[in-house]
Amino acid sequence: MTNISPRGRMILVKSDSEESRVSELGIVTPSAVELERKAVGTVVAVSPMFENVTPPYDIGIPKVGDKIIYGIFAGEQIKTRENSKEVEYRLLYCSDDHDNEILAFIR
């Protein structure tokens, strides 16, 4: 886990790109082929302003653990080292207006 804490209307998403590099048959695919799969991730942290939102205002606000799809070039890319392994995160803007960088939830 990282010590990055999003502020404002931001969420932190861990990219699932590393997990998707190996196909079901065990074949490792080049990262260029995986470009579109990088748009899938898991929410690992949300801004404190989203933590106490109650229904019906919580529609569209992600929670820690949610799987989401976001734009390939959305947000700010952050790479860190965890357990001697490079991990990619995205800091995304989350709002109920048209500027939202979250495209869909995976349920």
Side-chain angles (χ1 to χ4, degrees), residues 63-84:
K63 293 165 185 55
V64 173
D66 284 352
K67 277 231 187 244
I68 63 166
I69 299 173
Y70 54 91
I72 294 171
F73 301 108
E76 292 294 323
Q77 183 180 34
I78 302 167
K79 290 186 179 182
T80 63
R81 279 222 168 293
E82 295 177 8
N83 300 326
S84 69

Side-chain angles (χ1 to χ4, degrees), residues 9-10 50 59-62 92-102:
R9 294 183 167 269
M10 306 299 279
F50 294 135
I59 296 174
I61 296 178
L92 301 176
Y93 180 75
C94 180
S95 172
D96 56 358
D97 61 14
H98 66 280
D99 290 332
N100 197 341
E101 293 180 325
I102 298 171

Side-chain angles (χ1 to χ4, degrees), residues 1-105:
M1 185 54 116
T2 182
N3 58 357
I4 300 170
S5 179
R7 295 287 174 236
R9 294 183 167 269
M10 306 299 279
I11 63 168
L12 187 66
V13 176
K14 183 176 181 181
S15 174
D16 290 349
S17 63
E18 292 300 317
E19 297 170 8
S20 64
R21 288 185 187 215
V22 179
S23 72
E24 292 175 8
L25 299 174
I27 299 170
V28 178
T29 56
S31 59
V33 175
E34 296 296 322
L35 181 61
E36 296 199 38
R37 289 194 182 186
K38 284 190 174 187
V40 176
T42 304
V43 177
V44 294
V46 298
S47 167
M49 77 180 299
F50 294 135
E51 290 177 355
N52 297 319
V53 179
T54 58
Y57 304 107
D58 65 342
I59 296 174
I61 296 178
K63 293 165 185 55
V64 173
D66 284 352
K67 277 231 187 244
I68 63 166
I69 299 173
Y70 54 91
I72 294 171
F73 301 108
E76 292 294 323
Q77 183 180 34
I78 302 167
K79 290 186 179 182
T80 63
R81 279 222 168 293
E82 295 177 8
N83 300 326
S84 69
K85 192 175 182 184
E86 189 173 86
V87 180
E88 180 183 315
Y89 292 95
R90 291 285 176 134
L91 199 56
L92 301 176
Y93 180 75
C94 180
S95 172
D96 56 358
D97 61 14
H98 66 280
D99 290 332
N100 197 341
E101 293 180 325
I102 298 171
L103 304 177
F105 289 90

